[in-house]
mmCIF file of all heavy atoms in Angstrom:
data_model
loop_
_atom_site.group_PDB
_atom_site.id
_atom_site.type_symbol
_atom_site.label_atom_id
_atom_site.label_comp_id
_atom_site.label_asym_id
_atom_site.label_seq_id
_atom_site.Cartn_x
_atom_site.Cartn_y
_atom_site.Cartn_z
ATOM 1 N N LYS A 1 -16.211 31.646 -3.493
ATOM 2 C CA LYS A 1 -16.446 32.921 -2.811
ATOM 3 C C LYS A 1 -17.894 33.030 -2.330
ATOM 4 O O LYS A 1 -18.176 33.439 -1.178
ATOM 5 C CB LYS A 1 -16.113 34.090 -3.736
ATOM 6 C CG LYS A 1 -16.311 35.478 -3.122
ATOM 7 C CD LYS A 1 -15.260 35.781 -2.064
ATOM 8 C CE LYS A 1 -15.214 37.242 -1.699
ATOM 9 N NZ LYS A 1 -16.460 37.794 -1.237
ATOM 10 N N LYS A 2 -18.836 32.659 -3.210
ATOM 11 C CA LYS A 2 -20.236 32.745 -2.823
ATOM 12 C C LYS A 2 -20.605 31.818 -1.672
ATOM 13 O O LYS A 2 -21.297 32.203 -0.723
ATOM 14 C CB LYS A 2 -21.147 32.451 -4.041
ATOM 15 C CG LYS A 2 -21.134 33.514 -5.120
ATOM 16 C CD LYS A 2 -22.000 33.108 -6.283
ATOM 17 C CE LYS A 2 -21.966 34.194 -7.374
ATOM 18 N NZ LYS A 2 -22.783 33.807 -8.553
ATOM 19 N N VAL A 3 -20.079 30.583 -1.738
ATOM 20 C CA VAL A 3 -20.395 29.613 -0.665
ATOM 21 C C VAL A 3 -19.685 30.058 0.665
ATOM 22 O O VAL A 3 -20.297 29.983 1.720
ATOM 23 C CB VAL A 3 -19.886 28.192 -1.060
ATOM 24 C CG1 VAL A 3 -20.088 27.232 0.084
ATOM 25 C CG2 VAL A 3 -20.690 27.751 -2.320
ATOM 26 N N GLU A 4 -18.436 30.486 0.519
ATOM 27 C CA GLU A 4 -17.751 30.967 1.749
ATOM 28 C C GLU A 4 -18.495 32.154 2.379
ATOM 29 O O GLU A 4 -18.654 32.217 3.620
ATOM 30 C CB GLU A 4 -16.331 31.397 1.368
ATOM 31 C CG GLU A 4 -15.369 30.280 1.110
ATOM 32 C CD GLU A 4 -13.956 30.769 0.691
ATOM 33 O OE1 GLU A 4 -13.880 31.962 0.308
ATOM 34 O OE2 GLU A 4 -13.034 29.947 0.778
ATOM 35 N N ASP A 5 -18.969 33.061 1.536
ATOM 36 C CA ASP A 5 -19.702 34.229 2.085
ATOM 37 C C ASP A 5 -21.011 33.811 2.751
ATOM 38 O O ASP A 5 -21.368 34.360 3.794
ATOM 39 C CB ASP A 5 -19.997 35.211 0.942
ATOM 40 C CG ASP A 5 -18.782 35.910 0.471
ATOM 41 O OD1 ASP A 5 -17.707 35.839 1.135
ATOM 42 O OD2 ASP A 5 -18.814 36.596 -0.595
ATOM 43 N N LEU A 6 -21.722 32.804 2.151
ATOM 44 C CA LEU A 6 -22.982 32.384 2.673
ATOM 45 C C LEU A 6 -22.796 31.738 4.067
ATOM 46 O O LEU A 6 -23.477 32.093 5.032
ATOM 47 C CB LEU A 6 -23.653 31.400 1.753
ATOM 48 C CG LEU A 6 -24.992 30.892 2.220
ATOM 49 C CD1 LEU A 6 -26.016 31.985 2.386
ATOM 50 C CD2 LEU A 6 -25.539 29.825 1.211
ATOM 51 N N ILE A 7 -21.788 30.837 4.164
ATOM 52 C CA ILE A 7 -21.570 30.167 5.413
ATOM 53 C C ILE A 7 -20.997 31.121 6.481
ATOM 54 O O ILE A 7 -21.330 31.062 7.627
ATOM 55 C CB ILE A 7 -20.633 28.957 5.202
ATOM 56 C CG1 ILE A 7 -21.330 27.964 4.281
ATOM 57 C CG2 ILE A 7 -20.320 28.263 6.556
ATOM 58 C CD1 ILE A 7 -20.408 26.788 3.889
ATOM 59 N N THR A 8 -20.133 32.029 6.018
ATOM 60 C CA THR A 8 -19.605 33.051 6.924
ATOM 61 C C THR A 8 -20.708 33.931 7.491
ATOM 62 O O THR A 8 -20.683 34.266 8.683
ATOM 63 C CB THR A 8 -18.533 33.932 6.212
ATOM 64 O OG1 THR A 8 -17.409 33.108 5.843
ATOM 65 C CG2 THR A 8 -18.053 35.069 7.105
ATOM 66 N N SER A 9 -21.705 34.227 6.683
ATOM 67 C CA SER A 9 -22.846 34.996 7.156
ATOM 68 C C SER A 9 -23.590 34.239 8.256
ATOM 69 O O SER A 9 -24.144 34.850 9.212
ATOM 70 C CB SER A 9 -23.797 35.338 6.023
ATOM 71 O OG SER A 9 -24.474 34.237 5.545
ATOM 72 N N CYS A 10 -23.616 32.921 8.149
ATOM 73 C CA CYS A 10 -24.254 32.073 9.212
ATOM 74 C C CYS A 10 -23.442 32.212 10.489
ATOM 75 O O CYS A 10 -24.045 32.400 11.589
ATOM 76 C CB CYS A 10 -24.296 30.647 8.767
ATOM 77 S SG CYS A 10 -24.909 29.496 10.060
ATOM 78 N N LEU A 11 -22.127 32.171 10.384
ATOM 79 C CA LEU A 11 -21.292 32.261 11.581
ATOM 80 C C LEU A 11 -21.428 33.621 12.228
ATOM 81 O O LEU A 11 -21.420 33.767 13.436
ATOM 82 C CB LEU A 11 -19.817 32.001 11.195
ATOM 83 C CG LEU A 11 -19.523 30.600 10.603
ATOM 84 C CD1 LEU A 11 -18.036 30.447 10.327
ATOM 85 C CD2 LEU A 11 -19.968 29.501 11.551
ATOM 86 N N HIS A 12 -21.495 34.673 11.366
ATOM 87 C CA HIS A 12 -21.711 36.025 11.939
ATOM 88 C C HIS A 12 -23.062 36.097 12.652
ATOM 89 O O HIS A 12 -23.173 36.752 13.721
ATOM 90 C CB HIS A 12 -21.674 37.082 10.799
ATOM 91 C CG HIS A 12 -20.267 37.227 10.216
ATOM 92 N ND1 HIS A 12 -20.028 38.059 9.147
ATOM 93 C CD2 HIS A 12 -19.097 36.717 10.582
ATOM 94 C CE1 HIS A 12 -18.729 37.992 8.863
ATOM 95 N NE2 HIS A 12 -18.144 37.174 9.715
ATOM 96 N N GLU A 13 -24.098 35.501 12.078
ATOM 97 C CA GLU A 13 -25.423 35.505 12.686
ATOM 98 C C GLU A 13 -25.454 34.782 14.020
ATOM 99 O O GLU A 13 -26.030 35.278 14.977
ATOM 100 C CB GLU A 13 -26.410 34.869 11.688
ATOM 101 C CG GLU A 13 -27.832 34.750 12.235
ATOM 102 C CD GLU A 13 -28.665 36.003 11.962
ATOM 103 O OE1 GLU A 13 -28.369 36.771 11.053
ATOM 104 O OE2 GLU A 13 -29.622 36.223 12.735
ATOM 105 N N VAL A 14 -24.841 33.611 14.045
ATOM 106 C CA VAL A 14 -24.924 32.794 15.247
ATOM 107 C C VAL A 14 -23.923 33.181 16.309
ATOM 108 O O VAL A 14 -24.206 33.204 17.501
ATOM 109 C CB VAL A 14 -24.695 31.296 14.843
ATOM 110 C CG1 VAL A 14 -24.707 30.385 16.083
ATOM 111 C CG2 VAL A 14 -25.762 30.838 13.850
ATOM 112 N N PHE A 15 -22.679 33.487 15.869
ATOM 113 C CA PHE A 15 -21.629 33.807 16.839
ATOM 114 C C PHE A 15 -21.305 35.304 16.757
ATOM 115 O O PHE A 15 -22.016 36.142 17.363
ATOM 116 C CB PHE A 15 -20.412 32.962 16.552
ATOM 117 C CG PHE A 15 -20.669 31.463 16.647
ATOM 118 C CD1 PHE A 15 -20.812 30.717 15.526
ATOM 119 C CD2 PHE A 15 -20.756 30.868 17.902
ATOM 120 C CE1 PHE A 15 -21.118 29.326 15.620
ATOM 121 C CE2 PHE A 15 -21.016 29.545 18.008
ATOM 122 C CZ PHE A 15 -21.217 28.752 16.870
ATOM 123 N N ASP A 16 -20.243 35.671 16.070
ATOM 124 C CA ASP A 16 -19.906 37.085 15.903
ATOM 125 C C ASP A 16 -19.056 37.236 14.638
ATOM 126 O O ASP A 16 -18.715 36.260 13.974
ATOM 127 C CB ASP A 16 -19.196 37.656 17.154
ATOM 128 C CG ASP A 16 -17.937 36.871 17.518
ATOM 129 O OD1 ASP A 16 -17.054 36.796 16.607
ATOM 130 O OD2 ASP A 16 -17.871 36.298 18.618
ATOM 131 N N ASP A 17 -18.694 38.486 14.359
ATOM 132 C CA ASP A 17 -17.968 38.771 13.098
ATOM 133 C C ASP A 17 -16.530 38.264 13.069
ATOM 134 O O ASP A 17 -15.836 38.442 12.078
ATOM 135 C CB ASP A 17 -17.984 40.319 12.847
ATOM 136 C CG ASP A 17 -19.369 40.791 12.526
ATOM 137 O OD1 ASP A 17 -20.284 39.969 12.362
ATOM 138 O OD2 ASP A 17 -19.562 42.034 12.473
ATOM 139 N N SER A 18 -16.023 37.749 14.181
ATOM 140 C CA SER A 18 -14.637 37.243 14.210
ATOM 141 C C SER A 18 -14.508 35.910 13.499
ATOM 142 O O SER A 18 -13.376 35.472 13.210
ATOM 143 C CB SER A 18 -14.138 37.146 15.642
ATOM 144 O OG SER A 18 -14.873 36.121 16.372
ATOM 145 N N TYR A 19 -15.625 35.247 13.215
ATOM 146 C CA TYR A 19 -15.627 33.924 12.597
ATOM 147 C C TYR A 19 -15.825 34.030 11.075
ATOM 148 O O TYR A 19 -16.557 34.858 10.587
ATOM 149 C CB TYR A 19 -16.692 33.019 13.130
ATOM 150 C CG TYR A 19 -16.471 32.557 14.584
ATOM 151 C CD1 TYR A 19 -16.941 33.287 15.656
ATOM 152 C CD2 TYR A 19 -15.730 31.373 14.821
ATOM 153 C CE1 TYR A 19 -16.713 32.866 16.943
ATOM 154 C CE2 TYR A 19 -15.496 30.957 16.123
ATOM 155 C CZ TYR A 19 -16.018 31.727 17.187
ATOM 156 O OH TYR A 19 -15.795 31.285 18.488
ATOM 157 N N SER A 20 -15.127 33.150 10.346
ATOM 158 C CA SER A 20 -15.365 33.030 8.907
ATOM 159 C C SER A 20 -14.992 31.581 8.515
ATOM 160 O O SER A 20 -14.512 30.783 9.327
ATOM 161 C CB SER A 20 -14.505 34.035 8.130
ATOM 162 O OG SER A 20 -13.157 33.796 8.324
ATOM 163 N N VAL A 21 -15.246 31.256 7.252
ATOM 164 C CA VAL A 21 -14.921 29.899 6.770
ATOM 165 C C VAL A 21 -14.134 30.076 5.444
ATOM 166 O O VAL A 21 -14.354 30.990 4.705
ATOM 167 C CB VAL A 21 -16.218 29.098 6.529
ATOM 168 C CG1 VAL A 21 -17.017 29.650 5.370
ATOM 169 C CG2 VAL A 21 -15.886 27.638 6.295
ATOM 170 N N GLU A 22 -13.228 29.156 5.221
ATOM 171 C CA GLU A 22 -12.402 29.144 4.039
ATOM 172 C C GLU A 22 -12.348 27.716 3.438
ATOM 173 O O GLU A 22 -12.312 26.752 4.207
ATOM 174 C CB GLU A 22 -10.963 29.635 4.310
ATOM 175 C CG GLU A 22 -10.879 31.120 4.579
ATOM 176 C CD GLU A 22 -9.445 31.536 4.780
ATOM 177 O OE1 GLU A 22 -8.525 30.709 4.609
ATOM 178 O OE2 GLU A 22 -9.227 32.727 5.166
ATOM 179 N N PHE A 23 -12.360 27.659 2.088
ATOM 180 C CA PHE A 23 -12.157 26.375 1.397
ATOM 181 C C PHE A 23 -10.808 26.432 0.761
ATOM 182 O O PHE A 23 -10.398 27.421 0.201
ATOM 183 C CB PHE A 23 -13.229 26.189 0.303
ATOM 184 C CG PHE A 23 -14.622 26.101 0.818
ATOM 185 C CD1 PHE A 23 -15.689 26.352 -0.003
ATOM 186 C CD2 PHE A 23 -14.891 25.737 2.121
ATOM 187 C CE1 PHE A 23 -16.989 26.223 0.434
ATOM 188 C CE2 PHE A 23 -16.163 25.611 2.618
ATOM 189 C CZ PHE A 23 -17.221 25.873 1.774
ATOM 190 N N GLU A 24 -10.103 25.250 0.814
ATOM 191 C CA GLU A 24 -8.853 25.114 0.121
ATOM 192 C C GLU A 24 -8.895 23.919 -0.782
ATOM 193 O O GLU A 24 -9.203 22.805 -0.333
ATOM 194 C CB GLU A 24 -7.727 24.997 1.111
ATOM 195 C CG GLU A 24 -7.404 26.256 1.902
ATOM 196 C CD GLU A 24 -6.181 26.164 2.777
ATOM 197 O OE1 GLU A 24 -5.490 25.093 2.721
ATOM 198 O OE2 GLU A 24 -5.881 27.075 3.508
ATOM 199 N N TYR A 25 -8.580 24.164 -2.085
ATOM 200 C CA TYR A 25 -8.587 23.092 -3.039
ATOM 201 C C TYR A 25 -7.231 22.390 -3.075
ATOM 202 O O TYR A 25 -6.190 23.035 -2.949
ATOM 203 C CB TYR A 25 -8.907 23.614 -4.477
ATOM 204 C CG TYR A 25 -10.347 24.064 -4.611
ATOM 205 C CD1 TYR A 25 -10.661 25.400 -4.500
ATOM 206 C CD2 TYR A 25 -11.317 23.144 -4.925
ATOM 207 C CE1 TYR A 25 -11.975 25.810 -4.670
ATOM 208 C CE2 TYR A 25 -12.621 23.550 -5.082
ATOM 209 C CZ TYR A 25 -12.968 24.890 -4.954
ATOM 210 O OH TYR A 25 -14.262 25.333 -5.082
ATOM 211 N N GLY A 26 -7.226 21.110 -3.304
ATOM 212 C CA GLY A 26 -6.008 20.298 -3.405
ATOM 213 C C GLY A 26 -6.205 19.074 -4.256
ATOM 214 O O GLY A 26 -7.296 18.913 -4.850
ATOM 215 N N MET A 27 -5.241 18.246 -4.362
ATOM 216 C CA MET A 27 -5.304 17.013 -5.080
ATOM 217 C C MET A 27 -5.032 15.793 -4.209
ATOM 218 O O MET A 27 -4.096 15.794 -3.417
ATOM 219 C CB MET A 27 -4.306 16.995 -6.250
ATOM 220 C CG MET A 27 -4.544 18.034 -7.317
ATOM 221 S SD MET A 27 -6.076 17.757 -8.242
ATOM 222 C CE MET A 27 -5.651 16.249 -9.152
ATOM 223 N N LYS A 28 -5.976 14.802 -4.232
ATOM 224 C CA LYS A 28 -5.788 13.578 -3.506
ATOM 225 C C LYS A 28 -6.166 12.437 -4.420
ATOM 226 O O LYS A 28 -7.223 12.381 -4.946
ATOM 227 C CB LYS A 28 -6.689 13.553 -2.238
ATOM 228 C CG LYS A 28 -6.242 14.444 -1.126
ATOM 229 C CD LYS A 28 -7.085 14.252 0.136
ATOM 230 C CE LYS A 28 -6.595 15.130 1.274
ATOM 231 N NZ LYS A 28 -7.389 15.006 2.499
ATOM 232 N N ARG A 29 -5.148 11.530 -4.600
ATOM 233 C CA ARG A 29 -5.363 10.366 -5.485
ATOM 234 C C ARG A 29 -5.838 10.810 -6.884
ATOM 235 O O ARG A 29 -6.776 10.292 -7.410
ATOM 236 C CB ARG A 29 -6.380 9.393 -4.856
ATOM 237 C CG ARG A 29 -5.929 8.835 -3.533
ATOM 238 C CD ARG A 29 -6.989 7.926 -2.942
ATOM 239 N NE ARG A 29 -6.580 7.455 -1.612
ATOM 240 C CZ ARG A 29 -7.324 6.716 -0.814
ATOM 241 N NH1 ARG A 29 -8.600 6.407 -1.230
ATOM 242 N NH2 ARG A 29 -6.919 6.269 0.343
ATOM 243 N N ALA A 30 -5.133 11.849 -7.391
ATOM 244 C CA ALA A 30 -5.400 12.401 -8.718
ATOM 245 C C ALA A 30 -6.773 12.953 -8.884
ATOM 246 O O ALA A 30 -7.265 13.129 -9.975
ATOM 247 C CB ALA A 30 -5.167 11.296 -9.741
ATOM 248 N N LYS A 31 -7.451 13.300 -7.803
ATOM 249 C CA LYS A 31 -8.741 13.939 -7.869
ATOM 250 C C LYS A 31 -8.759 15.227 -7.023
ATOM 251 O O LYS A 31 -8.031 15.333 -6.046
ATOM 252 C CB LYS A 31 -9.834 12.984 -7.336
ATOM 253 C CG LYS A 31 -10.064 11.782 -8.187
ATOM 254 C CD LYS A 31 -11.225 10.957 -7.630
ATOM 255 C CE LYS A 31 -11.529 9.744 -8.514
ATOM 256 N NZ LYS A 31 -12.670 8.948 -7.996
ATOM 257 N N THR A 32 -9.546 16.208 -7.491
ATOM 258 C CA THR A 32 -9.669 17.456 -6.746
ATOM 259 C C THR A 32 -10.375 17.211 -5.425
ATOM 260 O O THR A 32 -11.412 16.588 -5.369
ATOM 261 C CB THR A 32 -10.412 18.513 -7.599
ATOM 262 O OG1 THR A 32 -9.771 18.708 -8.823
ATOM 263 C CG2 THR A 32 -10.477 19.856 -6.833
ATOM 264 N N SER A 33 -9.767 17.777 -4.374
ATOM 265 C CA SER A 33 -10.395 17.632 -3.038
ATOM 266 C C SER A 33 -10.541 19.028 -2.446
ATOM 267 O O SER A 33 -9.900 19.999 -2.851
ATOM 268 C CB SER A 33 -9.499 16.776 -2.130
ATOM 269 O OG SER A 33 -8.270 17.425 -1.918
ATOM 270 N N VAL A 34 -11.453 19.156 -1.472
ATOM 271 C CA VAL A 34 -11.712 20.433 -0.842
ATOM 272 C C VAL A 34 -11.618 20.267 0.690
ATOM 273 O O VAL A 34 -12.265 19.344 1.270
ATOM 274 C CB VAL A 34 -13.112 20.989 -1.183
ATOM 275 C CG1 VAL A 34 -13.317 22.362 -0.521
ATOM 276 C CG2 VAL A 34 -13.257 21.123 -2.706
ATOM 277 N N GLU A 35 -10.834 21.101 1.344
ATOM 278 C CA GLU A 35 -10.725 21.118 2.776
ATOM 279 C C GLU A 35 -11.462 22.346 3.314
ATOM 280 O O GLU A 35 -11.381 23.401 2.742
ATOM 281 C CB GLU A 35 -9.273 21.111 3.201
ATOM 282 C CG GLU A 35 -8.413 19.958 2.796
ATOM 283 C CD GLU A 35 -8.811 18.689 3.549
ATOM 284 O OE1 GLU A 35 -9.479 18.749 4.586
ATOM 285 O OE2 GLU A 35 -8.455 17.585 3.017
ATOM 286 N N VAL A 36 -12.278 22.134 4.359
ATOM 287 C CA VAL A 36 -13.030 23.194 4.934
ATOM 288 C C VAL A 36 -12.376 23.662 6.230
ATOM 289 O O VAL A 36 -12.115 22.791 7.110
ATOM 290 C CB VAL A 36 -14.524 22.808 5.171
ATOM 291 C CG1 VAL A 36 -15.324 23.943 5.716
ATOM 292 C CG2 VAL A 36 -15.111 22.237 3.910
ATOM 293 N N PHE A 37 -12.140 24.941 6.368
ATOM 294 C CA PHE A 37 -11.462 25.470 7.574
ATOM 295 C C PHE A 37 -12.367 26.564 8.217
ATOM 296 O O PHE A 37 -12.993 27.373 7.531
ATOM 297 C CB PHE A 37 -10.131 26.108 7.188
ATOM 298 C CG PHE A 37 -9.124 25.110 6.750
ATOM 299 C CD1 PHE A 37 -9.031 24.762 5.390
ATOM 300 C CD2 PHE A 37 -8.233 24.463 7.643
ATOM 301 C CE1 PHE A 37 -8.057 23.861 4.956
ATOM 302 C CE2 PHE A 37 -7.304 23.592 7.196
ATOM 303 C CZ PHE A 37 -7.184 23.251 5.850
#
């Protein structure tokens, strides 16, 4: 949540409030992976 909020604040600063970022956790090859959207 903290990282998403920080990066989203960058998008709000540079572009506008319609942008945000989300992380999704998953498993790949028995290891935790993170996808950035």
Side-chain angles (χ1 to χ4, degrees):
K1 179 71 166 54
K2 289 178 181 178
V3 175
E4 285 177 343
D5 288 348
L6 180 60
I7 299 176
T8 295
S9 70
C10 174
L11 300 182
H12 290 176
E13 176 87 24
V14 178
F15 299 102
D16 55 60
D17 292 351
S18 65
Y19 289 92
S20 63
V21 68
E22 289 182 6
F23 296 159
E24 290 187 4
Y25 290 98
M27 294 294 292
K28 286 186 178 179
R29 299 177 183 176
K31 292 184 178 180
T32 302
S33 64
V34 181
E35 298 290 343
V36 183
F37 293 89

